[in-house]
Amino acid sequence: MVFDIIIWAALGVFALIGLIIGLVKGFNKVSTWASDYAISATITIGVAAILKINGVAAKTAGIITLLLSAVTLILFVCLSRIMQKAIDRGMQKREDDLRSYGGLGVFNRIWGGLTLAIKGFVICAAILITCFFILDVAQLQRIWEGASRLYTSVLGGGLWQNVKKVAADLLVIGIINLAIRQGFAKGIFTSLWGLLVLGLAVGGCALSYALVFKSGMFDSASAALGAKLFEKISASNIPQFTAELAENVARWIITVGLSLVLIIIVAVLSALISRVIDFARFGSAFYFADGILGGTVGFIIAVALMLFLGAVFQPISDLPFMETFTSFFEYSSVAKFFYSDNLLIAFGMKELIPLRSWLT
């Protein structure tokens, strides 16, 4: 009970700080990611719970839930941007007409305060849930008797037991939100160019190795450098350092040097092309289209990775050492589609890694 009061007090303090800052700054000058996430998560979890209660098939409910998590986020992000731009235009017009902001200014302050109050609450809640999750999964009371009282007073409280039912859902929706936001901010072309640059860097290293060790182009240079290395190091009376080893070391030195040159060339080209893409994104139409594609790809990648990890661990979800972790999905409405009711397994995917046969 005491710890529950402390937790609520911490949440209240963070929310109050956010409220004060938001009232000072106004809605048109604040970041809305937390309120967008909170509203999106509330709607997604609520609809998923309704589908669960009504016994909708896991495949259908899972697809609806995943799409809803993305659509609601995009919807509220767009609504927030529209509201901010409308407030900016309204305030600018009043400034041009030498009028006071009036009711619009009051609305801007109040809505900004509410937005940052939610942000403060969400940040504090995220920190607390992460700490409690680690404590719960660690199961310290099994190896340290002194931790039993901690578990009883903190984790055994009604507040954490209620939050625990939706903790996994909040985490999954948070990851999806982050992936979409990052994808939209970076854009598909920036992301693809980043992957291409990584491929060019790795390819440059592979090309350097092939040129030095396979093509024969650097045989004479390797032999000359190897001879100098052998001459210098053999004088130190190291019998293991043979002429053949010296030449191999020389080849690797040349390979590293050539790789660095190619990586520098790739880095310069990357900087130039990245600037071109950034300039192209100054156009609103290109920025929006590029962002939508980037957000879509980010969403697909995040969902695919979580489904893959869930499909790997789902077969061992009933084993004793997974009991605590699995308990987070017992009342889940969203996260269960990645773990206990994994959609990949529901659609017939076979066991990816035979963990169960290895561990039982």
Side-chain angles (χ1 to χ4, degrees):
M1 182 64 181
V2 175
F3 281 98
D4 287 356
I5 294 174
I6 294 173
I7 292 168
W8 280 115
L11 292 169
V13 169
F14 270 72
L16 179 61
I17 292 172
L19 176 65
I20 295 171
I21 296 174
L23 289 172
V24 173
K25 296 182 69 174
F27 180 70
N28 62 329
K29 295 180 180 179
V30 302
S31 173
T32 63
W33 65 264
S35 56
D36 297 335
Y37 162 73
I39 299 172
S40 171
T42 301
I43 293 174
T44 302
I45 294 173
V47 173
I50 292 172
L51 295 174
K52 182 179 180 180
I53 292 172
N54 287 276
V56 179
K59 296 178 183 178
T60 305
I63 293 174
I64 292 174
T65 300
L66 294 181
L67 292 177
L68 185 64
S69 67
V71 171
T72 52
L73 171 67
I74 295 171
L75 175 62
F76 287 106
V77 168
C78 292
L79 287 176
S80 297
R81 296 295 181 273
I82 291 171
M83 285 180 62
Q84 288 178 324
K85 289 185 179 297
I87 292 173
D88 279 334
R89 286 195 297 268
M91 295 177 73
Q92 185 62 49
K93 185 176 180 180
R94 282 166 171 75
E95 288 180 0
D96 295 339
D97 296 339
L98 300 179
R99 291 186 296 155
S100 65
Y101 294 142
L104 180 62
V106 175
F107 174 82
N108 184 44
R109 300 287 185 181
I110 293 175
W111 205 251
L114 291 175
T115 301
L116 286 198
I118 294 174
K119 186 176 183 178
F121 186 92
V122 168
I123 292 173
C124 183
I127 295 171
L128 292 173
I129 289 174
T130 301
C131 294
F132 288 162
F133 172 81
I134 293 173
L135 279 175
D136 206 341
V137 173
Q139 292 292 293
L140 294 178
Q141 78 276 19
R142 297 191 178 186
I143 56 177
W144 177 36
E145 292 183 1
S148 298
R149 186 174 179 181
L150 173 68
Y151 273 74
T152 302
S153 56
V154 179
L155 300 183
L159 179 59
W160 170 243
Q161 293 304 315
N162 288 323
V163 173
K164 184 176 178 179
K165 296 176 182 179
V166 295
D169 293 341
L170 294 173
L171 173 62
V172 166
I173 296 173
I175 292 173
I176 291 174
N177 276 238
L178 180 62
I180 293 175
R181 283 184 175 277
Q182 282 295 107
F184 187 88
K186 294 293 184 180
I188 185 65
F189 288 100
T190 302
S191 301
L192 290 177
W193 176 242
L195 291 174
L196 181 59
V197 168
L198 178 62
L200 289 173
V202 174
C205 295
L207 177 63
S208 301
Y209 175 83
L211 289 174
V212 174
F213 282 88
K214 304 292 183 181
S215 68
M217 291 176 58
F218 292 87
D219 285 353
S220 58
S222 300
L225 180 59
K228 289 183 173 58
L229 288 173
F230 182 70
E231 180 182 347
K232 295 289 184 181
I233 298 177
S234 60
S236 302
N237 296 320
I238 302 178
Q240 295 85 355
F241 194 79
T242 62
E244 182 181 358
L245 178 58
E247 185 172 341
N248 280 327
V249 171
R251 286 183 183 276
W252 279 110
I253 292 174
I254 295 173
T255 299
V256 171
L258 188 58
S259 296
L260 289 175
V261 171
L262 292 177
I263 288 174
I264 291 172
I265 294 173
V266 169
V268 173
L269 290 175
S270 171
L272 292 174
I273 300 299
S274 295
R275 294 299 297 168
V276 171
I277 294 175
D278 289 340
F279 285 134
R281 282 173 62 84
F282 284 146
S284 57
F286 182 87
Y287 179 85
F288 184 76
D290 187 41
I292 288 294
L293 289 173
T296 302
V297 172
F299 170 75
I300 292 172
I301 292 174
V303 170
L305 287 175
M306 288 191 290
L307 285 173
F308 173 79
L309 289 174
V312 170
F313 290 99
Q314 191 272 346
I316 61 171
S317 60
D318 60 332
L319 296 183
F321 64 86
M322 293 290 289
E323 179 182 349
T324 304
F325 180 76
T326 301
S327 66
F328 282 87
F329 299 84
E330 183 178 355
Y331 299 98
S332 166
S333 300
V334 179
K336 67 173 186 174
F337 297 118
F338 295 92
Y339 185 61
S340 53
D341 293 335
N342 186 275
L343 288 179
L344 293 181
I345 295 176
F347 278 100
M349 177 175 283
K350 296 181 180 179
E351 190 176 13
L352 297 172
I353 300 175
L355 281 181
R356 191 173 187 86
S357 62
W358 294 350
L359 301 174
T360 57

